[in-house]
């Protein structure tokens, strides 16, 4: 399997190579040169093999999806063990029922840091560990607006041969997210940057374009453009769509809370591989770049605005080029009617968290609330999906306990904390506060690490 750039001016590289890369040399994003054939079972086979397929585990479907991408490469034989150790937590597909309606929910937050980023980060970690030559040291840089940093830190924590440097904007993540970002020590260095997410991202870019520094530290990034995070996300859509198709006898449609478009692109790739995926609807917060694009046909990136769904505060979705490339261009994508995007305000997020508790007896996080709201708009006809039937699945991207200060006052009760999160909250924080400047960050990365006590 070869990977090429969306801009078409970089040499094709293997899957093992692409996992170690960020942007392609021509500034584009890596996409499959062609998608492997025969990965997903045919619909006739799905129907015939009903029972067997419905029982297949996520890890087993993940193996079917990922292995062909490594066909003929040295690590191919290690794919089973990579998949098994990376995907060692549950993904759950549930059905909610009210008097009138039925709604599927794909819960992606049962991993160690309680957000879907665990799937990508854990795969990247286990795959890179097997690809790295002995004696080599890699430094993984992550700028995070909330969930990515914790997932990557957790996935690489105490892994020999790897260091992680996490940069997050001070005061702009929830307090439990902050605890997840700082709970590590050992080979994880967490920096609380006096700036916003964009300044964190800018510093990471500057570090990586400093050839000398990059070589010295064996540095690479682990942001959502990395194929090593995207490919594993395809696997839970493959698994869930098979399960839905066998259980309910229909092809499900999806609503995905979206920021950088990584999770949504993974869903489109699952569809491309032939899994039973219907429409893929994009739910955003007040950052309207994608909804505006669907309305006007113009893609106009802009600065992000801060919202209650902070992991989706993105004004320039970094995976956008992949989506257009998949459909062979802007016109073709917009005309495909496979997708639409809809924006949800903070007031609507609050109202939806409250109403979801009453209507479905479910507690949801602010990100997931955007998808529930968009589902309501589809039900009421405010969004016209052209008579698509009732088979919808909303994607639940984080556990509500990570956003308790938003959620608890709205539902009037405490949100129980999952065990993995409790473990992390017990640990002492390791964090260094720095100015949003390249030199300050370089210095902090080199300084000896100390436990700063319970500094929050
Ligand atoms: C990262 C994240 C998102 C956005 O996902 P993208 O892949 O950037 O579109 C949504 N919800 C939560 C909880 C997240 O952590």
């Amino acid at each position: 399997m070869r990977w090429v750039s969306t801009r078409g001016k970089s040499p094709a590289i293997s899957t093992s190579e692409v996992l170690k890369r960020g942007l392609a040399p021509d500034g584009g994003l890596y996409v499959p040169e062609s998608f492997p054939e025969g990965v997903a079972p045919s619909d006739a086979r799905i129907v015939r093999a009903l029972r067997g397929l419905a029982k297949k585990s996520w890890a087993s479907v993940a193996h079917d999806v990922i292995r062909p991408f490594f066909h003929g490469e040295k690590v191919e034989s290690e794919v089973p063990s990579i998949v098994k150790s990376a995907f060692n937590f549950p993904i759950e597909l549930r059905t909610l029922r009210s008097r009138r309606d039925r709604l599927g929910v794909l819960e992606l937050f049962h991993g160690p840091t309680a957000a879907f980023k665990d799937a990508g980060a854990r795969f990247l970690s286990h795959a890179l560990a097997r690809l790295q030559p002995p004696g080599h040291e890699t430094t993984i840089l992550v700028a995070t607006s909330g969930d990515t940093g914790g997932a990557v830190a957790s996935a690489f924590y105490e892994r020999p041969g790897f260091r992680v440097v996490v940069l997050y904007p001070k005061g702009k993540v929830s307090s439990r997210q902050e605890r997840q970002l700082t709970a590590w020590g050992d080979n994880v260095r967490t920096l609380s940057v006096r700036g916003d997410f964009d300044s964190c991202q800018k510093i990471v870019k500057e570090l990586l374009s400093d050839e000398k520094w990059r070589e010295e530290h064996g540095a690479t990034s682990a942001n959502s453009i990395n194929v090593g995070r995207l490919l594993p996300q395809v696997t839970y859509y493959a698994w869930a769509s098979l399960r839905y198709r066998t259980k309910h006898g229909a092809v499900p449609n999806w609503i995905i809370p979206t920021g950088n478009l990584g999770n949504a692109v993974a869903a489109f790739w699952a569809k491309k591989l032939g899994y039973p995926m219907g429409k893929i609807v994009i739910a955003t917060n007040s950052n309207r770049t994608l909804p505006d694009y669907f309305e006007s046909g113009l893609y106009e990136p802009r600065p992000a605005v801060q919202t209650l769904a902070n992991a989706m505060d993105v004004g320039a979705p970094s995976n956008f080029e992949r989506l257009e490339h998949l459909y062979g261009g802007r016109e073709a994508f917009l005309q495909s009617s496979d997708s639409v995007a809809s924006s949800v305000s903070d007031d609507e997020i609050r109202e939806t968290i409250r109403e979801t508790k009453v209507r479905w007896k479910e507690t949801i996080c602010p990100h997931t609330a955007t998808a529930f709201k968009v589902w309501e708009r589809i039900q009421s006809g405010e969004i016209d999906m052209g008579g698509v039937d009732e088979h919808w699945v909303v994607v639940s991207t984080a556990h509500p306990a990570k956003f308790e200060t938003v959620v608890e006052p709205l539902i009037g009760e405490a949100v129980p904390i999952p065990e993995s999160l409790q473990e992390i909250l017990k640990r002492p924080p390791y964090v260094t506060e720095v100015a949003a400047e390249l030199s300050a960050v370089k210095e902090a990365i080199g300084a000896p690490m100390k436990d700063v006590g319970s500094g929050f």
Side-chain angles (χ1 to χ4, degrees):
M1 252 294 311
R2 318 275 295 167
W3 296 78
V4 294
S5 166
T6 46
R7 303 199 181 161
K9 296 198 175 68
S10 300
I13 59 175
S14 69
T15 301
S16 303
E17 261 315 299
V18 82
L19 296 190
K20 296 184 249 171
R21 304 275 187 97
L23 280 179
D26 63 2
L29 303 179
Y30 283 109
V31 290
E33 189 168 40
S34 61
F35 283 80
E37 303 265 323
V39 173
S42 68
D43 204 55
R45 247 185 71 210
I46 295 176
V47 173
R48 272 204 316 274
L50 224 103
R51 283 256 172 63
L53 276 178
K55 281 198 197 128
K56 238 170 130 82
S57 69
W58 170 37
S60 157
V61 174
H63 174 265
D64 297 348
V65 171
I66 287 177
R67 185 146 186 170
F69 283 89
F70 285 94
H71 183 65
E73 295 180 31
K74 227 167 83 198
V75 288
E76 185 185 357
S77 61
E78 300 199 55
V79 172
S81 84
I82 294 174
V83 160
K84 204 163 150 232
S85 32
F87 304 145
N88 66 345
F89 60 92
I91 296 283
E92 286 184 21
L93 179 64
R94 299 172 49 217
T95 309
L96 308 183
R97 289 173 204 280
S98 71
R99 228 173 306 145
R100 271 189 24 232
D101 297 304
R102 176 177 67 189
L103 175 60
V105 182
L106 180 64
E107 292 183 352
L108 303 178
F109 55 69
H110 299 290
T113 68
F116 80 84
K117 304 291 198 300
D118 283 321
R122 291 183 61 78
F123 177 80
L124 184 68
S125 166
H126 285 274
L128 288 186
R130 285 166 179 84
L131 289 167
Q132 176 157 287
H136 206 84
E137 273 272 336
T138 298
T139 298
I140 312 253
L141 303 173
V142 212
T144 184
S145 61
D147 287 330
T148 300
V152 172
S154 156
F156 283 91
Y157 177 58
E158 294 185 327
R159 185 179 283 299
F162 291 87
R163 271 189 89 195
V164 175
V165 178
V166 178
L167 290 80
Y168 72 92
K170 179 177 154 68
K172 296 194 172 66
V173 301
S174 85
S175 79
R176 283 185 186 163
Q177 281 177 321
E178 184 162 41
R179 297 306 295 262
Q180 287 186 328
L181 294 169
T182 59
W184 310 102
D186 192 59
N187 63 335
V188 177
R189 171 57 57 97
T190 303
L191 306 177
S192 168
V193 178
R194 289 192 291 270
D196 55 12
F197 171 63
D198 288 336
S199 57
C200 296
Q201 212 162 21
K202 187 163 159 269
I203 292 169
V204 166
K205 277 201 183 136
E206 286 170 354
L207 285 170
L208 288 175
S209 50
D210 179 338
E211 204 80 8
K212 184 163 161 274
W213 191 91
R214 197 187 63 196
E215 299 236 320
E216 228 171 76
H217 291 79
T220 177
S221 81
N223 58 19
S224 78
I225 58 163
N226 191 301
V227 170
R229 287 184 47 203
L230 215 46
L231 195 55
Q233 292 178 6
V234 176
T235 68
Y236 46 68
Y237 290 110
W239 172 82
S241 64
L242 284 180
R243 179 152 291 213
Y244 195 100
R245 175 75 183 82
T246 50
K247 193 164 171 205
H248 300 286
V251 173
N253 304 290
W254 303 83
I255 307 173
I256 304 178
T258 295
N260 268 320
L261 261 173
N263 209 5
V265 163
F268 282 98
W269 284 4
K271 184 178 170 80
K272 181 80 177 176
L273 283 169
Y275 286 94
M277 305 279 293
K279 308 266 182 192
I280 297 164
V281 173
I282 290 163
T284 72
N285 55 26
S286 298
N287 290 281
R288 298 194 44 99
T289 307
L290 291 168
D292 287 352
Y293 160 75
F294 276 91
E295 253 169 50
S296 68
L298 296 176
Y299 178 69
E300 297 176 318
R302 59 202 80 167
V305 297
Q306 225 176 314
T307 75
L308 292 175
N310 64 1
M312 294 158 53
D313 291 348
V314 177
S318 52
N319 284 290
F320 182 73
E321 275 186 51
R322 286 193 164 114
L323 208 50
E324 284 197 336
H325 188 271
L326 184 66
Y327 281 81
R330 192 157 298 189
E331 291 303 306
F333 176 58
L334 289 174
Q335 279 167 15
S336 75
S337 75
D338 280 350
S339 187
V340 69
S342 184
S343 156
V344 177
S345 70
D346 273 359
D347 281 344
E348 289 168 322
I349 287 175
R350 285 193 199 91
E351 175 194 295
T352 307
I353 292 172
R354 216 182 286 122
E355 284 177 359
T356 301
K357 184 69 182 176
V358 175
R359 178 172 186 181
W360 303 104
K361 308 212 171 7
E362 284 289 313
T363 305
I364 56 172
C365 89
H367 309 81
T368 306
T370 64
F372 273 80
K373 180 67 193 175
V374 169
W375 176 77
E376 266 173 40
R377 287 180 184 154
I378 293 169
Q379 295 305 297
S380 70
E382 190 188 328
I383 298 176
D384 180 8
M385 293 307 295
V388 170
D389 67 10
E390 75 275 24
H391 292 278
W392 286 94
V393 180
V394 292
V395 175
S396 188
T397 51
H399 194 287
K402 288 179 82 164
F403 305 93
E404 83 287 4
T405 55
V406 176
V407 174
E408 289 180 350
L410 293 169
I411 62 167
E413 59 183 70
V415 182
I417 306 176
E419 212 171 295
S420 60
L421 186 50
Q422 280 182 34
E423 286 303 310
I424 290 174
L425 296 177
K426 275 191 227 146
R427 303 164 64 99
Y430 292 81
V431 59
T432 311
E433 190 180 318
V434 292
E437 284 160 18
L438 183 62
S439 55
V441 168
K442 271 188 181 169
E443 192 178 324
I445 292 175
M449 179 131 64
K450 50 182 191 295
D451 173 359
V452 299
S454 42
F456 306 133

